[in-house]
C-alpha cells in the first residue's frame, strides 16, 4: 500500500527540470529571479491518501528516533550550571506570576528576563510547572503537549529570531547563546490557551551561509544544511559539556513543559540553500533537504515553516532566488518527512499560502496572511468559509518577517489584529491558524525593522548598561512604559481566550 502511494505521487509529476542555483548576495531576500513556468502536475489528493493510511504507517514506524543525546537534557543543563540536582522554588517567579485558572506565566520585561541566569531560568520553569504541594523538579519524560493530530490547523504561531536576543560578546565578534536566551523569554509568553496551541517558531536552526556565530553573519533567509546547528544558537560555555543537539532538545523540552508546540523556518528557494557549503539543486539534493527536515523533527520540533511556499503554485512577484520544488515534489517531500519520523501530527506551515486546496493536497497544514486581520468580520467570514476543511486552513497575521516597526504608534492596531486572530470565528472548532512575531508580544524599539534583523545581525546599543550584550538587549526592546502596558494588554487578550474558549 505504501509503495503504491509513493508510486502514485512520484508518477504525478516529479519532473526534474531545474537549473543550477546561483550564489545569492547577502541581500538575497530582496532579489528577484526569473523562473521557468511551474511544471503542471495533476497530483491527486496525496495528503489525503497519506492520511487514510497513517494508521498502517504508525504500526511499522517508531515515532521518535535519531536523537542520541541525554534523555533528560534540561536536567543535564541544570547540573552543568549549578553542580547539583536539587531544584529550589523561585521566589522571583512567584512575585511575577500571571495566572488564569491553571494556566501560568510570568509578567516581566524582556530585558529583565534576559539578565536572569540559566539556574534562575530553569528554577522559574520548574516553579511554574510543579504540581501543588510538591517539590519542583524535572519530569523524567517530557512529551509534546497533546492538542490532537490536527492542532496545526488552529494554532497561533509566534516566530522568534534567536539572533536578536543572542549574546554579543565583549572584545570579539562572537554572537552566541541564542537558544538559551530564547528559553529565558519563554516563561513570559502566554501559554497555549486551552483548545488552541501556541507554537514557538524559531527563525533559524541551521547555519547561515557565511559568518555563522559572528556579528557579520549572513541572512537567515538562507540555510547551510548538514553543517550542524547554527553556532549563533548554541552556547560557547557549554562546549564539550553539552552537545548542540542536546541544547536544541533542551529548548524543545522546556517549551513543551510550558505548554507550547515548537517549530523552525526552512527556505525553499534553491539559491538560498547549501548542503555542506555546496550549491543546492532540487534534482540532486532532494534527499538532503528531506533529511534536514527530519532531523529537526527528531530533535523535538512539531512544525516547519516553509519560506516562499506560496510560489510553488503562484509564480507572480518575488519568488526567492533559484528554483522551487514542483507541486508534486513538494507533496512527496512532506509525505516523506511524515513517513520517516512516523509522526502524523506535524504541522507544515506555508508562507502566504491561501485557501486553495492545492496546498492541502501538497500536505500543508496552515497558510499565512489570508483574511484581513484589521477587520474582525473578515477573519470570521474566512473561518466560516474554511470550516469544512479540518486538515488545512489559511489564516490571518498580526505581523510577519517584513514588519517595519513603529510599534509604539500602532499598538491599538496590533492589539486589534491579535483580538481578530484569537476570536474571529463563530465556533472554536472553526478557528483559523494565525501568525505573529515576537514584537507583537514584546515590542521592539520603534522603527526596528524585523526584516533587517533577519537579513543580518545588528547591534542595538544603549548607553545605560554595563556589558555589550546588555546594551544590545536594552536597545532592541522598547523600554518605554507604554511598551510594558502594551504587553499587559496582550496578556489580557490571551486571558480572555482562556476564560471564554475552554
Amino acid at each position: 500500500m505504501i509503495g503504491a502511494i509513493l508510486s502514485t505521487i512520484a508518477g504525478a509529476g516529479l519532473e526534474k527540470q531545474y537549473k543550477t542555483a546561483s550564489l545569492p548576495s547577502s541581500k538575497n531576500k530582496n532579489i528577484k529571479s526569473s523562473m521557468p513556468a511551474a511544471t503542471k502536475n495533476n497530483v491527486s489528493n496525496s495528503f489525503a491518501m497519506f492520511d487514510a493510511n497513517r494508521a498502517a504507517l504508525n504500526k511499522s514506524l517508531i515515532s521518535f528516533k535519531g536523537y542520541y543525546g541525554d534523555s533528560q537534557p534540561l536536567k543535564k543543563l541544570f547540573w552543568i550550571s549549578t553542580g547539583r540536582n536539587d531544584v529550589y522554588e523561585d521566589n522571583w517567579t512567584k512575585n511575577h506570576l500571571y495566572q488564569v485558572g491553571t494556566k501560568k506565566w510570568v509578567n516581566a520585561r524582556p530585558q529583565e528576563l534576559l539578565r536572569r541566569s540559566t539556574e534562575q531560568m530553569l528554577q522559574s520553569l520548574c516553579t511554574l510547572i510543579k504540581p501543588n504541594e510538591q517539590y519542583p523538579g524535572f519530569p523524567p519524560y517530557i512529551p509534546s503537549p497533546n492538542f490532537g493530530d490536527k492542532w496545526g490547523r488552529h494554532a497561533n504561531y509566534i516566530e522568534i529570531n534567536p539572533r536578536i536576543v543572542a549574546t554579543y560578546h565583549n572584545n570579539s565578534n562572537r554572537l552566541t547563546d541564542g537558544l538559551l536566551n530564547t528559553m529565558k523569554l519563554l516563561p513570559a509568553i502566554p501559554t497555549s490557551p486551552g483548545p488552541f496551541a501556541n507554537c514557538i517558531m524559531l527563525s533559524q536552526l541551521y547555519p547561515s551561509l557565511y559568518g555563522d556565530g559572528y556579528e557579520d553573519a549572513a541572512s537567515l533567509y538562507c540555510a547551510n544544511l548538514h553543517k550542524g546547528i547554527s553556532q549563533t544558537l548554541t552556547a560557547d560555555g557549554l562546549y564539550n559539556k553539552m552537545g548542540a543537539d542536546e541544547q536544541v532538545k533542551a529548548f524543545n523540552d522546556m517549551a513543551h513543559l510550558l505548554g507550547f508546540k515548537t517549530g523552525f523556518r526552512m527556505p525553499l528557494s534553491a539559491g538560498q540553500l547549501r548542503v555542506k557549503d555546496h550549491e543546492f539543486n532540487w534534482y540532486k539534493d532532494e534527499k538532503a533537504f528531506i533529511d534536514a527536515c527530519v532531523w529537526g523533527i527528531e530533535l523535538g520540533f512539531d512544525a516547519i515553516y516553509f519560506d516562499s511556499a506560496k510560489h510553488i503554485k503562484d509564480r507572480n512577484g518575488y519568488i526567492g532566488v533559484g528554483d522551487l520544488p514542483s507541486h508534486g515534489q513538494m507533496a512527496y517531500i512532506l509525505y516523506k518527512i511524515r513517513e520517516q519520523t512516523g509522526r502524523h501530527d506535524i504541522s507544515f506551515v506555508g508562507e502566504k499560502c491561501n485557501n486553495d486546496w492545492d496546498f492541502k493536497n501538497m500536505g500543508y497544514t496552515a497558510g499565512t496572511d489570508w483574511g484581513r486581520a484589521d477587520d474582525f468580520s473578515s477573519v470570521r467570514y474566512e473561518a466560516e468559509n474554511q470550516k469544512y476543511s479540518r486538515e488545512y486552513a489559511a489564516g490571518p497575521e498580526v505581523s510577519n518577517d517584513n514588519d517595519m516597526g513603529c510599534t509604539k504608534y500602532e499598538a491599538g492596531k496590533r492589539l486589534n489584529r491579535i483580538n481578530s486572530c484569537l476570536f474571529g470565528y463563530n465556533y472554536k472548532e472553526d478557528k483559523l491558524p494565525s501568525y505573529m512575531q515576537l514584537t507583537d508580544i514584546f515590542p521592539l524599539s520603534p522603527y526596528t525593522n524585523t526584516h533587517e534583523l533577519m537579513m543580518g545581525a545588528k547591534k542595538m546599543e544603549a548607553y545605560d548598561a554595563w556589558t555589550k550584550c546588555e546594551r544590545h538587549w536594552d536597545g532592541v526592546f522598547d523600554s518605554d512604559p507604554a511598551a510594558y502596558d502594551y504587553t499587559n494588554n496582550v496578556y489580557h487578550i490571551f486571558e480572555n481566550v482562556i476564560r471564554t474558549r475552554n
Side-chain angles (χ1 to χ4, degrees), residues 123-161:
Q123 293 196 150
S124 180
L125 163 70
C126 292
T127 301
L128 285 171
I129 67 168
K130 82 174 192 68
N132 292 333
E133 311 303 324
Q134 292 188 23
Y135 292 111
F138 300 100
Y141 172 65
I142 304 172
S144 179
N146 184 7
F147 292 93
D149 296 344
K150 309 299 183 186
W151 66 271
R153 159 65 173 78
H154 309 284
N156 306 307
Y157 299 94
I158 304 168
E159 185 171 20
I160 298 178
N161 178 353

Side-chain angles (χ1 to χ4, degrees), residues 353-355 367-383 386 394-398 417 420-421 432-433:
C353 291
N354 60 24
N355 62 353
T368 68
D369 196 20
W370 187 250
R372 298 187 302 275
D374 289 316
D375 184 348
F376 182 88
S377 297
S378 169
V379 177
R380 187 166 56 184
Y381 170 81
E382 283 300 329
Q386 298 184 63
E397 291 179 339
V398 181
R417 290 174 182 171
S420 296
C421 290
L432 296 173

Side-chain angles (χ1 to χ4, degrees), residues 41-53:
N41 298 286
N42 296 316
V43 181
S44 59
N45 192 340
S46 53
F47 181 65
M49 293 168 66
F50 167 76
D51 188 56
N53 291 277

Side-chain angles (χ1 to χ4, degrees), residues 191-361:
T191 188
S192 298
F196 319 126
N198 285 351
C199 180
I200 305 299
M201 303 291 291
L202 297 184
S203 298
Q204 181 183 26
L205 178 62
Y206 298 125
S208 51
L209 296 191
Y210 63 83
D212 185 66
Y214 290 86
E215 291 179 18
D216 60 351
S219 167
L220 300 187
Y221 295 111
C222 299
N224 199 348
L225 308 179
H226 299 279
K227 289 279 288 186
I229 303 300
S230 170
Q231 294 181 46
T232 302
L233 272 64
T234 55
D236 284 355
L238 295 176
Y239 184 72
N240 281 338
K241 299 177 183 178
M242 191 171 188
D245 58 339
E246 291 177 313
Q247 294 177 52
V248 175
K249 185 64 167 57
F251 164 81
N252 282 314
D253 280 356
M254 179 172 180
H256 290 159
L257 283 173
L258 290 170
F260 299 111
K261 291 288 191 177
T262 60
F264 62 98
R265 176 186 283 258
M266 279 287 282
L268 282 178
S269 298
Q272 295 168 216
L273 293 166
R274 295 288 180 273
V275 177
K276 294 184 176 179
D277 297 320
H278 297 294
E279 284 192 353
F280 185 91
N281 181 284
W282 277 111
Y283 178 77
K284 297 184 299 181
D285 299 313
E286 177 188 88
K287 184 179 185 300
F289 183 86
I290 293 171
D291 288 345
C293 292
V294 168
W295 190 40
I297 298 300
E298 290 174 343
L299 293 179
F301 290 101
D302 308 290
I304 304 176
Y305 174 88
F306 291 101
D307 195 323
S308 298
K310 165 189 176 181
H311 300 295
I312 295 173
K313 181 174 175 62
D314 178 6
R315 299 299 175 116
N316 295 318
Y318 171 79
I319 54 175
V321 180
D323 295 326
L324 294 166
S326 69
H327 184 299
Q329 188 176 26
M330 195 73 230
Y332 174 77
I333 288 167
L334 300 186
Y335 175 87
K336 291 300 290 183
I337 297 169
R338 287 187 169 102
E339 179 194 47
Q340 290 184 25
T341 59
R343 289 185 58 176
H344 55 271
D345 64 333
I346 305 170
S347 179
F348 294 130
V349 184
E351 181 191 26
K352 296 189 180 297
C353 291
N354 60 24
N355 62 353
D356 193 317
W357 275 33
D358 278 353
F359 294 111
K360 171 183 178 293
N361 294 342

Side-chain angles (χ1 to χ4, degrees), residues 98-122:
Y98 196 112
Q99 184 165 0
V100 187
T102 60
K103 305 285 186 176
K104 300 176 184 177
W105 61 89
V106 299
N107 188 343
R109 296 175 182 268
Q111 299 93 325
E112 185 178 8
L113 292 160
L114 290 166
R115 285 171 168 79
R116 305 204 82 209
S117 67
T118 301
E119 175 185 3
Q120 291 170 329
M121 170 191 76
L122 293 175

Side-chain angles (χ1 to χ4, degrees), residues 401-405 445 447-454 458:
D401 55 289
N402 293 306
D403 186 80
M404 297 298 291
S445 292
Y447 301 106
T448 299
N449 188 306
T450 302
H451 181 72
E452 290 181 358
L453 295 175
M454 288 287 292
K458 181 180 179 183

